[in-house]
Amino acid sequence: MADTQPLVLGFETSCDETGIGLVRGQTLLSDALATSMAEHERFGGVIPEIASRAHLEAMVPTVHRALADAGVGFGDVDAVAVTSGPGLTGALLVGVAAAKAYALALGVPLYGVNHLAAHVAVDELEHGRLAEPSIAMLVSGGHSSLLLVPDLAQDVQPLGQTIDDAAGEAFDKVARVLGLPFPGGPPIDRAARDGDPRSIAFPRGLTGPRDAAYDFSFSGLKTAVARWVETRERAGEPVPVADVAAAFQEAVVDVLTAKAVRACREHGVDHLVVGGGVAANSRLRAVAQERCDTAGIVLRVPSPRLCTDNGAMVAALGSRLVEAGVAPSAPDLGADSSLPVTVVSR
Ligand code: KG4
Ligand code: ZN
């Protein structure tokens, strides 16, 4: 039975990870990754030109590694899927060009997919079919969105998003202020374990009664942390890194989980899926679980490795599209750096 399902090869190059994944049906066969993270570290953020060049160099070897890990050959591939947006234009273009070339050479259909929907689809590889409708919360270095997902293959509706920094961006910027390495999420997560989240009251953005219920804002929080640290330093006092990390993280997690649960309640939806790099955060996972348990919501979060950008998520969504009979992309598929979340495939 399993072998009769189509084998999908997925390409992800929207940011700094070159991800190539192979999925058959909803089964993950391989997930090969190359990253240019180290090359961006000294800049404190991803430099698009460096990322594009690194994708180009990593592409062919990573495709070969994905096939070898899965124990399949090019001739076994039934369809190709690629992130066509949103993301960094130059980086996206490398993946789209490569995916088009492979699809053409192999004579298989090509699906240009939305990166955000792919972050949701990846959860099906671990937890089976997504309940529809579900609420999805995507939190990463580039996006923070709440989505209503009536049909992952063709109907994804935005409920809210960040009006300034993405959640991961806030982690990265605060880490810099605290002298922690890039990307900032993992070191803040670790430092926070030894800190007191109640030691400092940092602001919760857009949580007033007249604020947009599902939008996020993290820029004010980031500035508040920077001011707090500056004041300490100017007074010649030591900065309690663990406490600042814990209090900052708590402010982010509190807002994210409160709004996600509220979106479920107000839309009568009892399934929440959380994805994106920040979903790897241990405190976010714990608080989301507590609040979902209290509200009677089933919470699904992929394992941390599948939360960050990878090729398997693209293959997972591609597989869904094949199954749903969605039309493949035209041969002139391009990259769209600001592809709206409503466009699942194009
Ligand atoms: O999804 P992703 O790999 O790439 C984007 O599409 O942006 O997310 C990367 C982001 C970075 O900002 C990183 O700091 C954050 O995810 N991140 C975390 C954790 N692990 C990664 N943020 C908080 N806690 C973590 N454990
Ligand atoms: Zn992402």
Side-chain angles (χ1 to χ4, degrees):
M1 165 63 193
D3 249 35
T4 61
Q5 293 179 298
L7 178 67
V8 182
L9 175 64
F11 291 73
E12 157 59 37
T13 65
S14 68
C15 193
D16 58 343
E17 328 275 359
T18 313
I20 309 294
L22 276 156
V23 163
R24 190 187 289 286
Q26 287 180 350
T27 307
L28 172 62
L29 299 188
S30 68
D31 180 21
L33 204 64
T35 176
S36 57
M37 188 93 79
E39 294 172 62
H40 308 286
E41 202 170 336
R42 67 196 171 97
F43 302 105
V46 175
I47 307 298
E49 285 305 319
I50 295 177
S52 307
R53 186 167 295 271
H55 286 309
L56 210 51
E57 285 166 6
M59 183 55 67
V60 172
T62 311
V63 169
H64 285 264
R65 191 146 50 84
L67 290 166
D69 290 352
V72 300
F74 279 118
D76 299 312
V77 173
D78 296 304
V80 169
V82 58
T83 300
S84 71
L88 305 169
T89 301
L92 287 167
L93 277 171
V94 177
V96 169
K100 276 188 335 195
Y102 281 110
L104 193 67
L106 299 174
V108 298
L110 169 72
Y111 295 85
V113 309
N114 190 303
H115 182 81
L116 300 183
H119 267 303
V120 182
V122 75
D123 187 64
E124 296 200 329
L125 300 177
E126 289 185 319
H127 302 124
R129 198 56 175 238
L130 196 73
E132 290 171 335
S134 277
I135 295 288
M137 179 167 70
L138 298 182
V139 276
S140 77
H143 24 258
S144 302
S145 339
L146 271 172
L147 310 170
L148 174 64
V149 187
D151 176 353
L152 184 53
Q154 39 210 345
D155 186 10
V156 174
Q157 301 168 14
L159 298 177
Q161 60 190 340
T162 181
I163 59 165
D164 41 56
D165 292 349
E169 204 178 342
F171 272 93
D172 296 340
K173 289 176 176 169
V174 164
R176 203 176 163 95
V177 166
L178 292 176
L180 298 171
F182 174 83
I188 288 188
D189 196 342
R190 273 193 301 275
R193 284 177 203 159
D194 301 320
D196 176 3
R198 283 174 301 268
S199 57
I200 310 157
F202 286 130
R204 269 72 169 152
L206 294 186
T207 47
R210 268 173 296 166
D211 290 325
Y214 306 129
D215 281 342
F216 301 108
S217 167
F218 297 108
S219 158
L221 169 61
K222 168 199 71 190
T223 306
V225 175
R227 293 284 166 276
W228 195 93
V229 170
E230 265 167 36
T231 306
R232 274 282 177 139
E233 282 170 343
R234 227 177 287 126
E237 292 168 22
V239 175
V241 172
D243 284 343
V244 176
F248 157 75
Q249 177 175 271
E250 200 66 14
V252 175
V253 166
D254 183 22
V255 174
L256 290 176
T257 52
K259 294 205 175 204
V261 167
R262 177 174 179 175
C264 288
R265 218 182 35 235
E266 292 182 351
H267 289 82
V269 173
D270 60 2
H271 280 75
L272 172 67
V273 54
V274 184
V278 180
N281 184 268
S282 61
R283 185 67 185 148
L284 176 61
R285 297 170 86 95
V287 174
Q289 191 64 63
E290 273 169 32
R291 291 188 174 176
C292 282
D293 287 348
T294 305
I297 296 165
V298 179
L299 174 67
R300 298 171 42 142
V301 195
S303 53
R305 183 187 154 81
L306 292 180
C307 284
T308 49
D309 291 351
N310 62 79
M313 65 192 227
V314 180
L317 181 54
S319 180
R320 255 301 199 112
L321 296 169
V322 173
E323 189 198 302
V326 171
S329 304
D332 67 348
L333 174 73
D336 182 349
S337 62
S338 51
L339 185 68
V341 70
T342 47
V343 182
V344 178
S345 65
R346 56 204 283 266

